[in-house]
Amino acid sequence: MNIQGKLAVVTGGASGLGGACTRMITAAGGRVIAVDLNDEAGAAIAEETGCTYIRADVADAAQMENVFAFSAGQARILINCAGIVLSQRAVSRDNSAAPLHDFDRVIRVNLVGTYNCIRLASAVMAKSGEGGVVINTASIAAFDGQIGQAAYSASKGGIVSMTLPLARELAKVGIRVMTVAPGLFDTPMMASLPVEVKQTMAAVVPNPSRLGDPAEFAALVRHIIENDMLNGEVIRLDGALRMPPK
C-alpha cells in the first residue's frame, strides 16, 4: 500500500512508538488521526505534524466508534500502539493475593482495546472495498515475560495469538493484519528511569547494545504497510534480546 494520501488511525499516537508512527505517516504524505489520552502531547504532535488529535479511550466502544465516525469511512491504516504496563506478582511477599482489578485493567486496555479498534477499523475498510492494513503492537514479553509481568504478558500474548486468525478472516476483504513485538525501546515509559538503570537495560541487548529508537519501530511499520506480502505474522524487533526470569 502506498501511504501517500491515505488516512491512518494511530492509537497512542501522541508520543513514544505511536508518536513515531504519526510522524512517519505524515512525513510520507499520509494523514493521521492520533488517538491518545495525553492532551498536552496530543496538542504538541498535532502542531508538529498537522495530524488530528482526538482524546479517546481505546477500550471504550462508544468513544472509538466516534473516532471512526469522524474518519468518514476514509481510514485505510490502523496502527495500535496504545497500552499500559503493570508489574505485579500474583502473590506478594506477605503471601497475599494481588488485587484482580489491576490484572483486569491491563487486559482491558492492551488486549480488549486493541481488538476494539481492529473491529471498528476493519468494518470501515471492508465497506470501502479498498482493503487496508492493521498493525498491532505486542511485546517480547508475550514470549519471555518476566516475574511480575503476568498481566502484561497475557495481554500482549493475546495480541500475538489473534494476529493470524484475524488475518485469515479479513483476507477476503483485502485487509492485512500484522503485529510487531518490540523489545526495550526508549519511550516516555522509560523517561523516569535513572540513566544508570537505562544503561544497564541497554547492555543486555546483544546487538545493537542499546535501547531501540521509536523511529526504528516506525520504519518497520512503514515497511509492513508498503510490502503487500507481509500478512498474518508477528515480527520481533529486539536486537536478539531474550529476557531473563527477572
Side-chain angles (χ1 to χ4, degrees), residues 192-234:
S192 61
L193 297 176
V195 173
E196 58 271 18
V197 173
K198 294 207 294 188
Q199 290 175 339
T200 299
M201 295 173 69
V204 303
V205 182
N207 183 29
S209 294
R210 60 172 174 79
L211 299 179
D213 186 328
E216 293 171 314
F217 177 90
L220 176 57
V221 168
R222 177 169 184 168
H223 181 73
I224 291 170
I225 293 169
E226 295 178 337
N227 189 331
D228 290 341
M229 279 301 290
L230 284 171
N231 192 18
E233 186 56 88
V234 180

Side-chain angles (χ1 to χ4, degrees), residues 111-143:
L111 181 55
V112 177
T114 295
Y115 179 77
N116 186 33
C117 296
I118 292 172
R119 71 182 184 92
L120 295 169
S122 298
V124 169
M125 296 173 191
K127 290 173 184 174
S128 75
E130 298 177 6
V133 184
V134 172
I135 303 172
N136 305 312
T137 304
S139 166
I140 60 171
F143 308 101

Side-chain angles (χ1 to χ4, degrees), residues 13 28 33 46 57-58 60 62 79 81 93 95 99 107-108 110 123 156 182 184 200 203 205-206 216 220 229 231 240:
I33 296 175
D57 177 353
V58 293
D60 187 294
I79 305 171
C81 291
R93 286 184 170 83
N95 292 331
I107 296 296
R108 179 154 184 79
N110 293 0
K156 296 302 186 177
L184 299 177
T200 299
V205 182
E216 293 171 314
L220 176 57
M229 279 301 290
N231 192 18

